[in-house]
Amino acid sequence: MDMRLELVPLPVTDVDRSKAFYVDRVGFVLDHDIEPGNGMRIVQLTPSGSACSVVVGVGISDPDAGRVNGLHLVVDDIASAREELRSREVDISDVQDMGGVKYAYFSDPDGNSWALQEISSRSPEPPA
């Protein structure tokens, strides 16, 4: 049985502000921004190269839900990715090396937190 994580809902207070942050500053691709009716709005955004998207909107999640923490964006070159985000005015931490795995952290305007992660080498897959 295949199970794929392909969509993560993020609680936000201002859909347009979040859309602008993720598209203009972080560089996500806008998949769609639709209003199917009854005051509902669905904005789906995907990081470049990812099979998993995030969704923000109105009427899709509990507005009082807590923030989502620790979402990871895996990159090949964390220094380059960090500098690109800084050039787009994203407030991002310095790179931290955790023994071969490097991280840099940022949050969206609603406090949902993200980590850039660079893994220098991966362990081989165990035999089947």
Side-chain angles (χ1 to χ4, degrees):
M1 168 176 55
D2 287 342
M3 289 192 231
R4 296 174 305 278
L5 178 62
E6 294 187 2
L7 188 64
V8 175
L10 294 178
V12 300
T13 57
D14 183 323
V15 175
D16 289 317
R17 178 182 68 177
S18 295
K19 177 182 166 185
F21 176 80
Y22 284 107
V23 172
D24 300 335
R25 293 174 70 193
V26 183
F28 283 20
V29 174
L30 174 64
D31 299 323
H32 59 259
D33 182 346
I34 59 172
E35 296 183 34
N38 297 326
M40 183 179 241
R41 181 175 176 197
I42 301 167
V43 178
Q44 185 169 324
L45 309 147
T46 303
S48 178
S50 180
C52 187
S53 303
V54 297
V55 63
V56 299
V58 176
I60 61 171
S61 64
D62 179 359
D64 296 323
R67 301 295 153 235
V68 176
N69 293 309
L71 293 168
H72 281 54
L73 296 168
V74 179
V75 297
D76 292 327
D77 181 346
I78 197 166
S80 175
R82 180 181 177 276
E83 284 310 309
E84 184 173 337
L85 290 176
R86 286 192 55 181
S87 75
R88 295 178 178 193
E89 300 181 359
V90 173
D91 184 16
I92 186 165
S93 74
D94 290 335
V95 174
Q96 300 173 16
D97 189 333
M98 306 293 204
V101 181
K102 297 176 183 175
Y103 291 95
Y105 304 95
F106 69 94
S107 295
D108 73 10
D110 286 287
N112 296 300
S113 70
W114 293 85
L116 291 184
Q117 179 191 56
E118 177 190 314
I119 302 172
S120 59
S121 65
R122 294 184 182 260
S123 299
E125 297 223 6

